[in-house]
C-alpha cells in the first residue's frame, strides 16, 4: 500500500476512538436481552457490519501509516481474526463478492445474500468515512505504477475468485465441514489469500478483492476518483461468478445439509365466537404446523377463546432444504361440531433465524379477526445421511480431481510469476500462502499436490495412494495449469529493459534437489502417513507444514521446488521475449529433472523412515487411498 499521509498526522488518531465506540455499540447488538425478541436475528448483520468496517478501516490505516513490507500481512491478519470471530454468527463473509459466490453456489439464500451485501457496502462507506475524518484522505482505487486498467482488472478478478473459492471450500463446503467435526483451518485459508494476492498484485491493482472496501475507501473524501471503484467492484463480482463455477467443477454436487425445526405452540388469544345466533359458538381450536410436505398438529382445546397448551404442543419437523422451504406455516383451526374451519394463519420466516436458539414469536393472525398466536421455534441443523447418494451426491470424479490440480497449480504459479513481475521481496511468503490456501481449499478432493515432483513422490511411495495412471493425469493437469499461468504472467510484464531475462529460474541446482526433497517428504509425512490418534479427522498442520517448506526453500535459495512452476516461468519468458528456443527452456528442463530427482529421493527416504506406514491393515490402507 502506498503511504498517502505523513506520519506527522498522528495527532488525528484520537478520533479513531470515536469510531471504535461505534464498532463496540454495533457489537453489543447480539447481547440485547429477551425484551427485544428479534435481537438474535440482528446479530448476523451486526457481525457482518463490524467485520467489514474493521477491514475497510484497516486498509485505510495501512495505506496511510503502515509499514509497506507488512501492510498486506496486517490486513490478512485482520481478515483471519474476524473470520474466526464472526463466522459462527454470520458465516464470516465481510465481502459482497463472497456473499454473491455463496448464493450462486447454493450455500446462501438470495434474500440473506442481498441483505448481507447491503450491510457490507454500508460498512465499507462508514469505514471510508472513518478513514477520511481521522486521516484526512481517501484511498485512490485504480491501476498502479503504469499498469493498465485491463491488467489491474485481471489481477483483481483472479484473486477475488481465489478468495471466494477459499471461503466456499473451507467455510461453507459441507464435505470440508462434516457434522460434528468441522475444520479449524478456514480462517487461515481465507486470510492467507490476502497474503498470496496482496504481495503479488498490490503494485498492479492495490490488492483490494472486496467491492465494499473499493467503494467505501475511494468514494468518501476529497481524493475520490470517480467511476474507478465502480469498475473495480464490478470486476470483483465477476471474480465471484468465476469462483462459483470453479467450486462446482472442483467439488461436484454438494450434499444438502438439511434443517429441522422444533416447534412449541404456547397459546392462541383473543379469538371470536363463531357461527350465527346471539352469542355464536365458542371455538374448539387446535394449531397445525406445516413445513413443506411435513405437517404436525396440537391437541384440541374445547370451548376456549383464549387457548393455552401445556401438553401435546411440541413437535419436530425435519429434513428440509431451507432455501426451498424458507417459511413455517402455522394455522389455527376450529374443530367445533364436526366441522374443520380456519381461524387464521401465520407465516414464520426461517431464513433470518439463527441455529440452535429458541425464537419467541407472538403475532396477530392473518384473517384472524384480532386473534394472535404465541409460539416458540428453534431451527436445528440435521445430520447428513451417511449415504451421500441419498442426497443425489457422489464421490469426486476424476474430472473433479484434475480440475482441482489445474486450478490450484494455476493460482500457485500465477502468484509466483506476478511476484517476479512486481519485484516482490517476499515472494516465497506469498507463494507459500497460495500453496497453503489451495491445500486447505482443494486438498480434500485431489490430495492437493499441485506439483509433479510431489505426485511422483506419492506414486513411488506405494500403498495405493496414487496409482500410475492417476499420477500421469495429475502431471498433465499440473503442467497445463502452470503453463497457462505463465502466459497470464507474461501479459503483466512492463519492464522492456529486462526483456531478455524477465523471469529467473532458480539459483542453485543442488539446493533445488534438496529443498524439493524436503517439500515432497513433508507432504508424504503429514498428508499420507498414518496420523496420530486424535478426536478429529481434520488435518490442520498439513497446509502449514507444506507452506513452510516453500518459505524455507524460497528465502534460502530462491528455489521453485516445482516443475510446473519452472515450466510456467519458462513459458512466460518465451511469451514475453518471443524466443521459444531461448535459454530458459534449457534451464527449465534441467531444473525440472532435478526437482523430480528430489521427489524420487523423498519417496526412498519415506520408505525407510515411515516403515510403519507399510504395515497398516489392508482395510485401513484402502481408507487412506480413498481420502488422499
Amino acid at each position: 500500500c502506498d503511504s498517502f499521509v505523513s506520519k506527522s498526522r498522528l495527532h488525528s488518531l484520537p478520533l479513531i476512538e470515536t469510531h471504535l465506540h461505534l464498532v463496540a455499540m454495533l457489537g453489543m447488538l447480539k447481547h440485547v436481552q429477551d425484551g427485544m425478541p428479534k435481537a438474535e436475528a440482528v446479530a448476523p448483520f451486526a457481525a457482518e457490519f463490524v467485520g467489514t468496517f474493521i477491514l475497510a478501516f484497516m486498509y485505510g490505516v495501512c495505506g496511510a501509516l503502515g509499514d509497506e513490507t507488512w501492510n498486506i500481512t496486517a490486513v490478512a491478519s485482520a481478515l483471519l481474526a474476524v473470520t474466526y470471530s464472526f463466522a459462527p454468527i454470520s458465516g464470516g463473509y465481510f465481502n459482497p463478492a463472497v456473499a454473491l459466490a455463496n448464493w450462486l453456489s447454493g450455500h446462501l439464500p438470495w434474500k440473506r445474500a442481498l441483505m448481507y451485501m447491503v450491510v457490507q457496502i454500508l460498512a465499507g462507506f462508514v469505514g471510508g468515512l472513518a478513514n477520511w475524518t481521522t486521516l484526512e484522505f481517501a484511498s485512490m482505487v485504480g491501476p498502479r505504477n503504469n499498469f493498465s486498467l485491463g491488467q489491474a482488472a485481471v489481477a483483481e478478478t483472479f484473486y477475488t475468485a481465489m478468495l471466494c473459492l477459499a471461503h466456499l471450500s473451507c467455510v461453507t463446503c459441507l464435505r470440508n465441514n462434516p457434522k460434528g467435526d468441522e475444520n479449524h483451518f478456514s480462517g487461515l485459508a481465507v486470510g492467507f489469500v490476502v497474503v498470496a494476492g496482496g504481495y503479488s498484485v498490490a503494485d498492479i491493482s492495490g490488492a483490494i478483492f472486496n467491492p465494499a472496501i473499493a467503494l467505501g475507501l475511494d468514494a468518501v473524501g476529497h481524493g475520490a476518483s470517480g467511476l474507478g471503484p465502480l469498475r473495480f467492484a464490478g470486476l470483483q463480482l465477476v471474480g465471484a461468478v468465476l469462483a462459483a463455477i470453479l467450486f462446482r467443477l472442483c467439488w461436484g454436487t454438494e450434499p444438502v445439509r438439511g434443517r429441522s425445526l422444533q416447534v412449541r405452540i404456547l397459546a392462541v388469544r383473543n379469538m371470536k365466537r363463531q357461527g350465527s345466533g346471539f352469542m355464536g359458538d365458542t371455538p374448539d381450536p387446535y394449531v397445525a404446523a406445516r413445513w413443506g410436505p411435513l405437517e404436525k398438529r396440537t391437541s384440541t382445546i374445547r370451548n376456549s377463546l383464549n387457548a393455552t397448551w401445556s401438553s401435546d404442543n411440541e413437535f419436530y419437523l425435519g429434513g428440509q432444504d431451507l432455501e426451498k422451504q424458507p417459511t413455517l406455516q402455522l394455522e389455527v383451526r376450529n374443530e367445533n361440531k364436526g366441522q374443520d374451519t380456519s381461524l387464521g394463519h401465520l407465516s414464520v420466516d426461517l431464513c433470518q433465524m439463527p441455529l440452535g436458539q429458541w425464537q419467541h414469536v407472538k403475532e396477530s393472525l392473518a384473517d384472524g379477526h384480532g386473534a394472535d398466536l404465541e409460539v416458540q421455534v428453534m431451527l436445528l441443523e440435521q445430520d447428513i445421511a451417511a449415504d451421500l447418494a441419498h442426497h443425489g451426491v457422489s464421490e469426486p470424479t476424476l474430472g473433479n480431481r484434475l480440475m482441482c490440480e489445474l486450478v490450484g497449480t494455476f493460482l500457485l504459479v500465477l502468484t509466483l510469476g506476478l511476484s517476479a513481475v512486481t519485484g516482490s521481496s517476499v515472494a516465497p511468503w506469498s507463494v507459500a500462502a497460495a500453496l497453503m490456501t489451495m491445500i486447505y481449499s482443494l486438498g480434500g478432493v485431489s490430495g492437493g499436490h499441485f506439483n509433479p515432483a510431489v505426485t511422483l513422490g506419492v506414486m513411488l511411495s506405494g500403498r495405493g495412494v496414487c496409482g500410475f495412471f492417476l499420477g500421469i493425469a495429475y502431471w498433465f493437469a499440473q503442467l497445463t495449469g502452470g503453463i497457462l499461468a505463465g502466459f497470464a504472467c507474461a501479459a503483466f510484464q512492463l519492464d522492456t529493459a529486462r526483456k531478455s531475462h524477465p523471469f529467473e529460474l532458480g539459483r542453485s541446482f543442488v539446493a533445488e534437489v534438496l529443498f524439493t526433497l524436503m517439500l515432497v517428504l513433508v507432504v508424504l509425512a503429514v498428508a499420507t502417513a498414518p496420523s496420530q490418534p486424535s478426536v478429529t479427522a481434520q488435518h490442520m498442520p498439513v497446509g502449514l507444514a507444506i507452506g513452510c517448506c516453500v518459505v524455507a526453500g524460497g528465502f534460502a535459495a530462491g528455489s521453485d521446488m516445482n516443475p510446473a512452476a519452472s515450466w510456467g516461468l519458462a513459458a512466460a519468458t518465451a511469451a514475453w521475449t518471443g524466443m521459444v528456443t531461448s535459454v530458459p527452456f534449457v534451464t527449465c528442463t534441467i531444473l525440472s529433472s532435478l526437482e523430480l530427482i528430489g521427489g524420487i529421493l523423498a519417496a526412498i527416504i519415506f520408505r525407510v523412515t515411515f516403515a510403519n506406514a507399510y504395515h497398516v491393515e489392508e482395510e485401513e490402507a484402502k481408507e487412506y487411498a480413498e481420502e488422499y
Side-chain angles (χ1 to χ4, degrees):
C1 297
D2 293 331
S3 180
F4 295 97
V5 174
S6 169
K7 300 292 192 292
S8 64
R9 293 187 179 175
L10 287 173
H11 67 274
S12 64
L13 284 179
L15 289 175
I16 296 175
E17 295 179 5
T18 303
H19 301 284
L20 292 181
H21 288 316
L22 172 62
V23 175
M25 292 172 61
L26 289 169
M28 291 172 60
L29 284 174
K30 73 186 189 71
H31 297 297
V32 178
Q33 299 299 319
D34 291 339
M36 294 181 65
K38 299 205 175 184
E40 292 85 355
V42 176
F45 302 100
E48 287 295 308
F49 184 95
V50 172
T52 309
F53 172 84
I54 289 172
L55 293 174
F57 191 66
M58 189 75 181
Y59 265 90
V61 170
C62 285
L65 306 173
D67 184 293
E68 290 187 4
T69 302
W70 294 106
N71 280 343
I72 299 299
T73 300
V75 174
S77 300
L79 178 57
L80 183 154
V82 296
T83 299
Y84 277 128
S85 299
F86 293 131
I89 304 299
S90 67
Y93 304 97
F94 317 125
N95 187 328
V98 174
L100 176 62
N102 275 270
W103 170 63
L104 292 173
S105 62
H107 291 101
L108 194 63
W110 72 269
K111 289 182 180 179
R112 174 62 67 98
L114 183 60
M115 287 188 287
Y116 274 173
M117 293 169 73
V118 171
V119 169
Q120 291 156 357
I121 292 172
L122 177 62
F125 278 109
V126 175
L129 180 62
N131 185 48
W132 178 54
T133 55
T134 56
L135 303 175
E136 300 178 6
F137 80 96
S139 301
M140 304 295 288
V141 175
R144 307 284 179 86
N145 301 321
N146 297 319
F147 286 95
S148 68
L149 177 61
Q151 291 170 321
V154 171
E156 286 291 313
T157 301
F158 278 148
Y159 283 102
T160 303
M162 184 179 182
L163 178 62
C164 295
L165 181 61
H167 191 281
L168 288 169
S169 300
C170 298
V171 180
T172 57
C173 177
L174 301 183
R175 295 182 193 271
N176 228 356
N177 290 279
K179 175 69 173 177
D181 192 20
E182 290 79 4
N183 73 69
H184 298 285
F185 50 71
S186 56
L188 280 172
V190 172
F192 271 76
V193 173
V194 176
V195 174
Y199 285 110
S200 302
V201 303
D203 289 337
I204 298 174
S205 67
I208 299 173
F209 318 144
N210 188 328
I213 295 176
L215 294 171
L217 287 186
D218 187 276
V220 179
H222 298 300
S225 57
L227 296 177
L230 288 175
R231 297 191 187 100
F232 263 45
L235 294 165
Q236 289 156 352
L237 294 178
V238 171
V241 176
L242 176 61
I245 295 171
L246 292 176
F247 178 78
R248 178 56 61 90
L249 293 175
C250 291
W251 283 92
T253 304
E254 268 273 88
V256 175
R257 178 165 290 174
R259 294 287 189 264
S260 59
L261 278 179
Q262 198 79 12
V263 181
R264 187 183 293 160
I265 307 298
L266 300 180
V268 182
R269 298 184 178 89
N270 304 318
M271 289 178 288
K272 305 298 182 184
R273 296 183 184 276
Q274 306 295 308
S276 58
F278 178 70
M279 294 292 295
D281 296 322
T282 303
D284 299 333
Y286 71 91
V287 180
R290 301 183 187 90
W291 192 28
L294 305 176
E295 182 173 346
K296 295 288 181 68
R297 56 160 288 176
T298 65
S299 57
T300 301
I301 294 182
R302 301 295 177 185
N303 300 318
S304 178
L305 297 177
N306 294 282
T308 301
W309 282 265
S310 58
S311 61
D312 297 327
N313 65 324
E314 187 169 336
F315 31 81
Y316 172 86
L317 302 169
Q320 298 298 305
D321 183 350
L322 192 60
E323 187 170 2
K324 296 179 179 178
Q325 306 293 343
T327 58
L328 170 67
Q329 302 294 335
L330 299 169
E331 185 176 16
V332 180
R333 299 192 66 83
N334 179 19
E335 249 184 357
N336 187 273
K337 293 184 177 181
Q339 298 181 351
D340 198 335
T341 57
S342 177
L343 298 177
H345 57 88
L346 174 66
S347 296
V348 179
D349 184 7
L350 303 176
C351 292
Q352 312 302 323
M353 192 170 290
L355 289 174
Q357 301 177 27
W358 283 107
Q359 302 298 300
H360 194 93
V361 179
K362 183 179 179 182
E363 295 185 16
S364 297
L365 294 169
D367 301 323
H369 304 289
D372 58 74
L373 174 63
E374 184 178 5
V375 300
Q376 290 180 327
V377 182
M378 181 163 59
L379 187 65
L380 301 169
E381 194 169 66
Q382 183 160 321
D383 291 344
I384 301 174
D387 181 13
L388 292 178
H390 176 73
H391 297 277
V393 179
S394 59
E395 288 299 311
T397 64
L398 176 61
N400 297 142
R401 292 187 171 96
L402 296 182
M403 181 57 67
C404 286
E405 289 297 309
L406 189 151
V407 171
T409 308
F410 175 87
L411 291 171
L412 177 64
V413 177
L414 182 72
T415 301
L416 176 62
L418 292 181
S419 296
V421 169
T422 58
S424 172
S425 61
V426 291
W429 179 225
S430 58
V431 174
L435 178 58
M436 185 186 74
T437 296
M438 287 297 97
I439 288 173
Y440 285 141
S441 298
L442 304 178
V445 178
S446 69
H449 297 185
F450 315 131
N451 186 332
V454 169
T455 299
L456 179 61
V458 175
M459 289 166 58
L460 296 178
S461 70
R463 300 163 297 139
V465 176
C466 180
F468 175 77
F469 292 106
L470 179 60
I472 296 299
Y474 273 19
W475 276 16
F476 178 79
Q478 292 157 357
L479 290 172
T480 301
I483 292 172
L484 289 175
F487 286 132
C489 290
F492 288 86
Q493 183 58 257
L494 295 178
D495 188 2
T496 56
R498 299 180 60 219
K499 195 165 185 177
S500 58
H501 296 287
F503 299 97
E504 294 183 359
L505 290 170
R507 303 170 188 169
S508 170
F509 289 162
V510 174
E512 201 70 38
V513 174
L514 295 180
F515 283 118
T516 305
L517 184 157
M518 178 181 71
L519 173 65
V520 177
L521 184 59
V522 169
V523 172
L524 291 171
V526 301
T528 71
S531 57
Q532 295 296 318
S534 174
V535 296
T536 177
Q538 301 293 338
H539 299 284
M540 186 169 180
V542 173
L544 280 173
I546 298 171
C548 286
C549 294
V550 176
V551 172
F555 279 117
S559 299
D560 295 333
M561 298 168 279
N562 188 334
S566 299
W567 281 100
L569 295 185
T573 301
W576 177 245
T577 62
M579 295 182 290
V580 178
T581 59
S582 60
V583 174
F585 276 105
V586 177
T587 307
C588 173
T589 302
I590 298 172
L591 205 60
S592 298
S593 300
L594 293 172
E595 289 159 349
L596 293 175
I597 290 173
I600 294 170
L601 293 175
I604 294 172
I605 294 174
F606 178 80
R607 284 179 174 269
V608 174
T609 55
F610 284 83
N612 64 316
Y614 296 88
H615 299 290
V616 183
E617 305 248 320
E618 182 178 355
E619 214 37 59
E620 293 181 356
K622 184 181 288 188
E623 289 180 14
Y624 291 136
E626 290 176 353
E627 186 170 358
Y628 298 106

